[in-house]
Amino acid sequence: MDVPPLVAQAQQRAADNGFAYSCAPLTGELLAALAAAVPPGGRILELGTGMGVGLAWVLHGLLGREDVVLVTVEHDPKTAALAAGADWPGWVEPLTGDAVALLPGLGSFDLVFADAEGGKWSGLDRTLAALREGGVLLLDDMDPARYTLAEHHAAIAAVRATLRADAGLVLVDLPVGTGHIIATRRHAAAAA
């Protein structure tokens, strides 16, 4: 796949600023495919804006739609300012702050991309509470082989255990790329 222009711009911004934590290409393509399925009037949440690579992939998946609200949260003020300076559509809402603290006030979402520790390794319960019925949660960087510290292995195991314990979720663990988990919130009638 050719790299979409907004993605290329975000990748260049990351390279220019020495930012090494951008969304991997396979993750981006998966994210674009999931974004394309967001219903009309839907809401998307990205936890961990970084330099906007994941955000650009979401926009690629939406292909010019303007009926969606896209909220993206970055913890680091300098990184957030660099990403927010890009030419995003007006319906993109960049926020700066602690995702775990912000989550309870953000509402509910049809698609959540948890790309930061906050909302994934910590505060996962708040992320799950923000997931609408039929909503999809994408987690990346879930391959334990990427990490050497025992605390990281424990965090990943805890994420998997939390997701598996939620009977309202249907999961798929994709051991490709950086390691992905997709969790879909069942509709209430299906969860009963």
Side-chain angles (χ1 to χ4, degrees):
M1 164 185 250
D2 291 335
V3 177
L6 275 178
V7 174
Q9 291 168 17
Q11 289 171 333
Q12 188 61 54
R13 188 168 41 257
D16 291 348
N17 289 284
F19 187 82
Y21 304 104
S22 291
C23 174
L26 179 63
T27 304
E29 290 180 22
L30 180 57
L31 188 55
L34 294 172
V38 169
R43 299 187 78 228
I44 300 172
L45 174 64
E46 176 187 39
L47 301 174
T49 311
M51 290 291 160
V53 174
L55 175 57
W57 279 111
V58 170
L59 293 171
H60 175 68
L62 294 172
L63 193 62
R65 287 177 54 187
E66 296 184 7
D67 64 309
V68 175
V69 171
L70 200 166
V71 178
T72 182
V73 180
E74 174 56 46
H75 188 264
D76 179 67
K78 181 182 175 191
T79 303
L82 288 167
D87 189 21
W88 306 118
W91 45 267
V92 172
E93 298 178 16
L95 301 175
T96 305
D98 179 353
V100 177
L102 291 172
L103 269 164
L106 296 179
S108 60
F109 297 89
D110 300 289
L111 174 61
V112 177
F113 176 38
D115 190 28
E117 289 184 19
K120 178 170 51 177
W121 289 13
S122 64
L124 180 58
D125 58 328
R126 291 183 176 192
T127 301
L128 292 174
L131 193 62
R132 290 180 173 170
E133 288 186 8
V136 176
L137 170 63
L138 173 62
L139 303 136
D140 68 344
D141 302 328
M142 297 302 295
D143 179 0
R146 295 173 46 86
Y147 305 99
T148 56
L149 297 177
E151 66 192 61
H152 293 151
H153 288 267
I156 290 170
V159 167
R160 282 191 169 88
T162 297
L163 294 173
R164 287 185 186 125
D166 188 331
L169 295 175
V170 177
L171 307 175
V172 60
D173 205 327
L174 301 172
V176 296
T178 65
H180 300 88
I181 297 175
I182 299 175
T184 302
R185 171 76 59 208
R186 296 177 197 266
H187 287 274

